[in-house]
Amino acid sequence: MSEVQPSEAEHGHHDDHSQSEHHEQSFASKYLFSLDHKIIAQQYLWTGILMVLIGAFMVFVFRMQLAFPGQHVPGWGIVTQANYNSLVTNHGTIMIFWFAMPVLIASFGNFLIPLMIGCDDMVFPRINRLSYQVFLLSVIVLIASFLVPGGGFGGAWTAYPPLSAKSEYSMTNLGSSLWLIAVALEFVAFLLGGINFITTAMNSRAPGMKFTNIPIVVWMIVIASILFMASVGPLVAGAIMLLFDQQVGTGFFDPDKGGDPVLWQHLFWFFGHPEVYVVLLPAMGIVAEIITVFSRKKLFGYKTVLLTVIATGILSFFVWAHHQFIAGIDPRMANIFTVTTVLISIPIAEMIFLYIATLYGGSITLSVPMLWALAFLAEFLLGGSTGLFLGASGADIYFHDTYFVVAHFHYTFFPIAVIGFFAGFTYWFPKMYGKHLNERLGQIHFWITIIGFNLCFIPLFVLGSAGQHRRIYDYSNFPELATPGLQNLRVIATVGLIMTLVAQVFFFINLIVSFRNGRKASANPWNANTLEWVAPSPPPHGNFAEMPTCYRAPYEYSVPGRDKDYWPQNESS
């Protein structure tokens, strides 16, 4: 096992860094206009949680409409066709752009990167603050879009023109433009945040921390930020063109004026498919941190995981057109994108198998974070395997835009956004707040959530295979889809959703109980190796009483000859 001895130059720079002044702050400067990465992480976290509550209420309303068409929905009333379109559109938008990205990338990235690499803050703290302020502005604009005449945008979260480009089609002139502006602002916020994540991880590591000593979750967030920055440009340009089509009368995507609506699909999915990996990679990194700690095993194939992630990122730019197999693209190109889609499943499967190899032979503790991490592997595996059907151009002609796609997408995205979030939140909660969560309430929350999720989405595979298309407000207009058997499956799926939502009550009860009476957490309650566990719980302004030095890789667990089964990165031989 190789160890790293920091040079004198590194020590000198490190001492200067640790002597930076951290004076007492007022309430406003600390919590409202903070430059501290940990407070900004909390701002992103709780804003994301607020938005997911809105997104969850939306899915409750439109699933109740599908299960009991035309009936009064508690908390809403009668769901109109326009309501349904707007709810479906904004549910998808919120869950991806205003929940998954702020909590998995911005919140965990802000909180973890400086702590895990052993520095006191981000390189550009004012840009960091600005990124949240722009993000908050995007939230305000999105919520405002629900309140203007015509209501919120109802042209689906993919915003395909001409439905999104012409108000006479979407019936939401102002709502569609405000939705587009909100998405653009959110992209600006994450471009600013990505600059900080990449620069900080590359330039502010603790003395002795080589690239191969950086924890995997940090690598995952950095690579996700690079993917986002590399892919979002064409969509920002497309968003400006679409806004001009909506409000100025240009015809970039209007075939009546010589435009091409399929061009938007290319611009959107060139960003949209790398975006899947932008949110997947941080979740995969979170799972890696958890399974090593709770199996007391070294991460199997650290360098292989890292190279696999890089390969996945590169391949993600060559699969976008599998979303367009029925959009009229050349069938010869469809064959190429079928091959690239199958190819990208290889590195993802490799990562899953490396994680399973890490678990093999370990001393596994089924704590609540570990339960979420294992559930991620199981559920995501099912989502990935069903994607192979959609990646085959012949099969996708039938499955495209059916509920099979909806089920597949949620079996990939729910593990990423929801299970990944709960895994990370329950694992780092003691570090964030200095208290332990209640284990019994955590287990109840976990099992009801997982059972409810599967009860909701397994029936959707059956409905999609039966030919049920998505974005239909009332299936009673389609006799082949309005049979009692299919309608019963819609009811079962809605029951599963309600079960999943009810489970979150236990999560919030757990938060209240733990904040008030939770057992106090030590600096390193999990006996983990990475540098964030060197700081007090919760970390003070400046993070460390004495800035740490890194001596080894982050996953040295159960090393033969040692009394302890862990070996912290900052502990010399």
Side-chain angles (χ1 to χ4, degrees), residues 518-534:
R519 182 164 51 90
K520 184 175 175 59
S522 64
N524 190 4
W526 307 126
N527 290 336
N529 289 346
T530 45
L531 293 181
E532 78 271 27
W533 304 107
V534 176

Side-chain angles (χ1 to χ4, degrees), residues 385-455:
S385 59
T386 54
L388 294 175
F389 297 97
L390 304 175
S393 56
D396 187 63
I397 292 171
Y398 177 78
F399 284 125
H400 184 85
D401 251 355
T402 69
Y403 267 73
F404 191 95
V405 176
V406 175
H408 155 72
F409 180 77
H410 283 83
Y411 264 98
T412 56
F413 200 79
F414 188 92
I416 292 170
V418 179
I419 295 177
F421 161 68
F422 283 132
F425 186 77
T426 54
Y427 178 60
W428 280 293
F429 184 90
K431 181 56 58 180
M432 287 181 175
Y433 304 109
K435 298 285 187 72
H436 281 277
L437 286 166
N438 183 283
E439 190 77 8
R440 178 63 60 84
L441 287 172
Q443 290 179 355
I444 294 171
H445 169 230
F446 167 79
W447 285 111
I448 299 177
T449 299
I450 294 301
I451 294 169
F453 165 68
N454 286 283
L455 186 64

Side-chain angles (χ1 to χ4, degrees), residues 153 164-167 172-173 176-180 239 241-250:
F153 177 51
S164 61
K166 294 189 176 183
S167 59
T172 53
N173 182 31
S176 59
S177 294
L178 286 173
W179 178 91
L180 202 57
M241 294 157 66
L242 183 56
L243 187 63
F244 279 23
D245 277 14
Q246 291 174 345
Q247 298 298 335
V248 182
T250 55

